Amino acid sequence: MKPLNIIISLFVFSTPACTGVTVEQTNSDVPAKIAKARDCPGCDLSNVDLKGANLKGANLKEAILDGANLSNANLAEADLSGASLNGANLNGANFNSANLKGVDLSNASLISTNLVNANLRQAKIKTANVYLTNFCGATMPNGSRSMQGCS
């Protein structure tokens, strides 16, 4: 009987700033994922688990984060303009002063999310699960400033 060869393939992103970032991960991969995600415009990070990651000031412009777990992550001052976060878990995440212009938040979960002073102009947010979210000072999709959550 011949031995069975098992090939395990990991999807590796082709964006130069994200070389080596894979969708599948183990707990030991998380620090590498965080380092790669700090400067990864246009990357496909679908379904990545970055729960609790510190991505303050990250460049994720036009990144694909569909189905990603960013719960309790710090994305303050990050640039996610044009990014897709369709179905992402953003519960408890901090997007203070983040650029979310044109972001797709369709079917995303934003429970207890901090969007203080965030730019949500032209964002797709209508089908997102929004509950106990702080929008104080945020620029809303229609260009108006929100006072929701302001004391």
Side-chain angles (χ1 to χ4, degrees):
M1 188 177 258
K2 293 182 180 181
L4 177 64
N5 292 328
I6 299 173
I7 300 173
I8 300 173
S9 62
L10 299 176
F11 181 76
V12 179
F13 302 103
S14 60
T15 304
C18 292
T19 303
V21 176
T22 59
V23 172
E24 296 179 27
Q25 68 183 13
T26 64
N27 286 341
S28 63
D29 294 334
V30 173
K33 297 255 186 266
I34 293 170
K36 298 292 181 184
R38 285 192 179 285
D39 188 25
C40 211
C43 285
D44 186 342
L45 297 172
S46 299
N47 301 308
V48 71
D49 186 5
L50 292 171
K51 180 180 180 180
N54 184 2
L55 296 170
K56 183 176 180 180
N59 181 0
L60 291 165
K61 185 176 184 176
E62 298 180 359
I64 300 169
L65 293 149
D66 296 339
N69 182 4
L70 291 164
S71 60
N72 299 310
N74 181 9
L75 289 138
E77 302 170 12
D79 185 358
L80 287 104
S81 56
S84 180
L85 290 148
N86 193 324
N89 178 353
L90 308 174
N91 297 338
N94 178 17
F95 289 97
N96 188 15
S97 300
N99 184 2
L100 302 169
K101 182 178 180 182
V103 73
D104 182 1
L105 294 168
S106 301
N107 305 309
S109 184
L110 290 98
I111 298 171
S112 297
T113 303
N114 177 8
L115 290 164
V116 172
N117 297 317
N119 179 5
L120 291 161
R121 187 180 291 271
Q122 301 170 349
K124 295 176 186 174
I125 195 169
K126 286 185 180 180
T127 59
N129 180 13
V130 179
Y131 182 70
L132 298 175
T133 298
N134 189 343
F135 288 98
C136 183
T139 303
M140 300 307 285
N142 65 3
S144 67
R145 284 287 231 200
S146 175
M147 296 304 290
Q148 183 178 335
C150 299
S151 300

